[in-house]
Amino acid sequence: MIKEQIIAIKQELPPEVKLVAVSKFHPEEAIREAYAAGQRAFGENRPQEFAAKVEALKDLDLEWHFIGHLQTNKLKLVLPYAHLVQSVDSQHLLDAIQDWGKANDKVIRVLLELHIGAEETKQGFKEEEVRDILFRAEKYKNIRFCGLMGMASHTDCEEDIRADFARIADFRAYLQDLFPELADFKELSIGMSGDWKIALDYGATIVRIGTAIFGERQY
Ligand SMILES: *Cc1c(COP(=O)(O)O)cnc(C)c1O
């Protein structure tokens, strides 16, 4: 089942688009099954679960993405192991990651999460905030800015989803023009189980897919 889903999705993904399999709430065995189907990149959104899975699966050659809200007192559960922290959503967190990176002599790869959905509650930066951070990018010696992440409005209205994705794609292009010195700033992580095919139309470089691979989550 998991294997078939991964193969089906991979067949439709352009080769340059990375599939991150979102394994949150699913057991270790599900990840092993996905691994057997060739999947290497996995995403988790809770620090404790992230760290536990990293430990339990360290016999496999995996690439871990952190995609959830990260409190600054949980950095040590995530930063030593994350290939990419996709969900940096506040100045406070960014500063804490910089401090941790400096103290541990490590450069942390991050995406800045842009608030694009209609929901008030969704986390993420406003456009002006992202731009202001990147103007000061040099200050963050232990952070590598790799691009943007966003979640479209939670809706069945394709037009609204397209509007959200167009906005983040345009903004990434604007930032790339404004900051040509940020050579690594190229990722656009948009698209989940319900909207990843739409996201491809807007230049997604990473899609984050959980339910369509592993089935419904039992919370
Ligand atoms: C859970 C989650 C996903 C995956 O959602 P699905 O709808 O199950 O594909 C993607 N991105 C983030 C940030 C998530 O928290």
Side-chain angles (χ1 to χ4, degrees):
M1 188 59 181
I2 291 172
K3 182 178 176 193
E4 281 75 14
Q5 299 303 334
I6 287 175
I7 290 170
I9 291 168
K10 283 254 177 82
Q11 261 165 4
E12 286 191 59
L13 274 186
E16 67 275 14
V17 177
K18 174 169 282 188
L19 171 61
V20 172
V22 177
S23 47
K24 62 190 188 196
F25 293 89
H26 293 286
E28 190 191 319
E29 292 69 49
I31 297 176
R32 290 189 182 277
E33 205 176 322
Y35 182 87
Q39 183 62 25
R40 294 294 178 267
F42 293 87
E44 290 283 337
N45 72 338
R46 296 182 300 172
Q48 231 90 36
E49 183 177 350
F50 178 94
K53 284 177 173 164
V54 166
E55 174 63 24
L57 295 158
K58 65 181 180 206
D59 57 309
L60 306 183
D61 166 34
L62 301 181
E63 177 184 300
W64 289 103
H65 293 242
F66 192 78
I67 62 167
H69 185 58
L70 184 52
Q71 284 175 306
T72 53
N73 60 350
K74 304 274 169 61
L75 296 186
K76 66 176 185 303
L77 293 174
V78 171
L79 299 187
Y81 316 107
H83 171 77
L84 183 64
V85 179
Q86 295 206 11
S87 45
V88 173
D89 58 0
S90 76
Q91 180 69 56
H92 176 63
L93 175 59
L94 194 66
D95 291 341
I97 294 175
Q98 165 56 30
D99 290 346
W100 189 95
K102 188 168 182 204
N104 292 277
D105 196 20
K106 222 178 138 129
V107 175
I108 313 296
R109 304 173 69 251
V110 308
L111 304 183
L112 299 175
E113 181 172 352
L114 187 71
H115 177 109
I116 49 170
E119 292 83 4
E120 284 288 333
T121 55
K122 282 231 171 97
Q123 10 225 27
F125 289 109
K126 300 192 178 91
E127 273 95 343
E128 313 85 81
E129 294 171 322
V130 170
R131 198 194 49 200
D132 290 350
I133 287 166
L134 295 181
F135 269 120
R136 291 179 279 115
E138 245 199 89
K139 225 186 83 183
Y140 297 99
K141 301 253 184 273
N142 296 81
I143 291 183
R144 185 161 302 147
F145 295 98
C146 296
L148 298 175
M149 188 269 255
M151 288 165 90
S153 305
H154 190 69
T155 170
D156 289 332
C157 175
E158 186 174 323
E159 229 173 289
D160 289 350
I161 294 169
R162 287 188 177 277
D164 290 341
F165 286 160
R167 184 170 144 201
I168 191 169
D170 288 350
F171 187 54
R172 183 191 59 160
Y174 164 83
L175 293 172
Q176 286 177 318
D177 276 353
L178 194 57
F179 303 107
E181 70 278 14
L182 297 179
D184 296 301
F185 197 85
K186 48 190 181 214
E187 304 295 350
L188 183 59
S189 177
I190 51 173
M192 306 174 25
S193 289
D195 56 20
W196 65 271
K197 289 183 198 179
I198 303 174
L200 296 181
D201 289 345
Y202 296 88
T205 66
I206 299 174
V207 293
R208 312 175 308 270
I209 301 182
T211 311
I213 292 173
F214 297 108
E216 294 291 334
R217 290 179 283 274
Q218 309 291 326
Y219 292 106

